[in-house]
Amino acid sequence: MKEFKILAVVVILSLITYWGVEPFAHSQMHKHVEGHNFVYDGAADIADASKDKAAAKKAFWGEVNQIDKLPGNAAAGEALFGACMGCHNGAGINMGGVIPPVLDHAGSLYDKKYLIALIKDPAMASNVDHKYANTMMHPMGAVQAMVTTPQQIADVVAYIKAKKVGKMTPQVAYEEACGRCHANRYGGLTQLGETPKFKTEKEALAHKLKVLDEQSLVEKYMGKLPPDLSIMIRARSEQYMETFIENPQTQLPGTSMPRVGLTKEGYESVKAYLEETGDPSKEARHAIGPWVILFFVIFTVLAYLWKKHHWKDLH
């Protein structure tokens, strides 16, 4: 029985370390941030704002919440949305430091109130107004001069929510929400999208130069090149990922990374792609796990019986 006592001590100490010491150490290294279940009503922004900005944020989100109550006209919004296509056309042209996102699934990916806020004032909606003396200087700031009235904003968002929806693969969700700034080398993605197959080394080098040029523009705009997200799902906890994507300022105050405005479903799609590229063996590992545990159980029993048989005459 001595061996079982030693095993019990080892198991107990391991569990204490895993469930007690490690979480405590993590809590001391990283502050706990409460999530808001991907609800964008401005409450968190107002609560975290400095005294000189709290009033402006309160007024801004108050107007957003009022616009949210307006009945939007999708037909009227379609004509207004046409103005958006000058930039959001999938051409992959950098404008003001970053490539404008494709909006093919914007109605599924992004929250309604966030879309309202984004059209009203992109810098305030993205919670990066600290970067600009005047939020009109945001690369998307011109939209404020094109869609000006609360009803127009409600109409455009109604059109997006009605027509720019549909099923999307996790990769498409990632590309539309994150791919313009973050590469994913395990998924073969750069800031210019999926890396094509080239016939010659010259073509490959030419494409690489384009990627480097794009990265330089993004780095200049953001202050530093956003990290590759290939294994981010394994490097950070799920709670960290959720709260960071929901509002980057909560984890990195002063960061240039904008709030993306994903819905809960949009986040789950992006997370699925990060799991696919960052941990491609997860399903196979989970499938074989029970068999490995069963092997160790059987091996332990056999080892104990073998020891008992050969040591039975020892005192």
Side-chain angles (χ1 to χ4, degrees), residues 53 96 123 128-139 221 256:
K53 291 191 175 184
V128 291
D129 50 294
H130 56 278
K131 285 184 59 176
Y132 307 95
N134 180 347
T135 57
M136 281 289 288
M137 299 302 294
H138 187 280
Y221 170 61
S256 294

Side-chain angles (χ1 to χ4, degrees), residues 259-280:
R259 171 193 284 125
V260 184
L262 294 178
T263 61
K264 180 66 173 177
E265 294 74 19
Y267 167 74
E268 292 297 334
S269 292
V270 171
K271 184 178 78 169
Y273 183 70
L274 292 176
E275 289 177 339
E276 179 185 324
T277 58
D279 195 2

Side-chain angles (χ1 to χ4, degrees), residues 40-265:
Y40 306 95
D41 57 7
D45 292 17
I46 297 166
D48 295 339
S50 58
K51 290 183 179 179
D52 59 321
K53 291 191 175 184
K57 287 184 180 290
K58 186 175 182 179
F60 172 74
W61 283 103
E63 293 173 11
V64 169
N65 290 319
Q66 288 299 314
I67 295 173
D68 180 52
K69 298 175 183 178
L70 295 175
N73 185 321
E78 182 175 9
L80 291 165
F81 183 81
C84 304
M85 298 308 294
C87 298
H88 300 276
N89 51 28
I93 299 174
N94 192 294
M95 297 183 181
V98 68
I99 296 173
V102 174
L103 301 179
D104 291 349
H105 302 92
S108 299
L109 270 176
Y110 307 117
D111 176 76
K112 179 186 176 185
K113 284 189 179 181
Y114 174 77
L115 288 171
I116 291 171
L118 191 68
I119 295 171
K120 183 171 177 57
D121 189 328
M124 290 284 277
S126 302
N127 208 14
V128 291
D129 50 294
H130 56 278
K131 285 184 59 176
Y132 307 95
N134 180 347
T135 57
M136 281 289 288
M137 299 302 294
H138 187 280
M140 190 183 160
V143 71
Q144 300 174 64
M146 295 187 292
V147 184
T148 56
T149 69
Q151 187 58 57
Q152 287 179 327
I153 294 175
D155 292 344
V156 172
V157 173
Y159 172 75
I160 293 173
K161 280 294 185 180
K163 301 299 182 181
K164 295 300 177 178
V165 293
K167 285 189 175 183
M168 55 191 156
T169 64
Q171 179 174 331
V172 168
Y174 173 87
E175 289 183 297
E176 292 189 12
C178 314
R180 299 167 297 117
C181 296
H182 296 278
N184 189 312
R185 65 183 181 277
Y186 289 179
L189 301 178
T190 70
Q191 285 79 3
L192 295 180
E194 195 164 5
T195 303
K197 294 182 179 180
F198 301 102
K199 295 181 179 180
T200 66
E201 184 178 355
K202 184 177 180 180
E203 290 177 343
L205 289 173
H207 179 75
K208 187 173 182 178
L209 287 174
K210 289 182 180 179
V211 172
L212 290 173
D213 287 340
E214 180 62 29
Q215 289 179 341
S216 295
L217 292 172
V218 174
E219 181 177 3
K220 183 179 179 181
Y221 170 61
M222 299 295 290
K224 62 183 296 186
L225 184 65
D228 185 295
L229 299 183
S230 296
I231 60 171
M232 189 59 68
I233 197 73
R234 301 178 70 178
R236 298 290 187 179
S237 69
E238 184 166 342
Q239 198 270 346
Y240 180 96
M241 292 285 293
E242 282 195 21
T243 53
F244 185 79
I245 292 176
E246 187 179 61
N247 185 4
Q249 300 299 328
T250 59
Q251 300 286 1
L252 288 177
T255 182
S256 294
M257 177 175 167
R259 171 193 284 125
V260 184
L262 294 178
T263 61
K264 180 66 173 177
E265 294 74 19

